[in-house]
């Protein structure tokens, strides 16, 4: 796995997150808190697809912790 992990904040637009995943060929992004250091969850490709299917609430994927996968192993946060 490659370090450091690729991160986004809760302010990152869904489209930006999707573009980043596509460009880097990764399937998950670590979502960090406003302090720029504290991980608060993971945003997966599946999360993006689910949210983009409902464009009226697209920004919810990055700001609603119930949508962001937070039960993954911390080792999964690292870029392969």
């Amino acid at each position: 796995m490659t370090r450091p992990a690729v991160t986004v904040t809760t302010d990152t637009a869904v489209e930006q997150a999707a573009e980043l995943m596509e460009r880097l060929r990764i399937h998950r992004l670590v979502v960090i808190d406003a302090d720029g250091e504290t991980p608060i969850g993971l945003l997966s490709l599946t999360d993006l697809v689910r949210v983009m299917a409902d464009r009226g609430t697209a920004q919810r994927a990055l700001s609603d912790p119930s949508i962001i996968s937070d039960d993954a192993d911390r080792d999964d946060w690292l870029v392969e």
Side-chain angles (χ1 to χ4, degrees):
M1 291 186 194
T2 303
R3 294 177 193 234
V6 179
T7 63
V8 293
T9 66
T10 57
D11 296 333
T12 302
V14 170
E15 293 79 10
Q16 288 176 307
E19 181 180 308
L20 184 60
M21 286 181 175
E22 175 67 23
R23 184 167 35 90
L24 298 177
R25 299 178 131 185
I26 57 177
H27 300 276
R28 291 178 195 84
L29 297 168
V30 177
V31 180
I32 55 174
D33 205 0
D35 64 11
E37 294 183 16
T38 307
I40 59 172
L42 290 176
L43 180 66
S44 71
L45 188 57
T46 302
D47 295 330
L48 286 179
V49 169
R50 183 182 307 126
V51 170
M52 291 175 103
D54 183 11
R55 297 300 298 167
T57 59
Q59 200 57 33
R60 224 178 59 195
L62 292 173
S63 61
D64 182 350
S66 69
I67 293 174
I68 298 171
S69 304
D70 62 356
D71 59 345
D73 187 329
R74 289 182 186 255
D75 289 338
D76 290 342
W77 296 3
L78 304 174
V79 179
E80 296 181 10

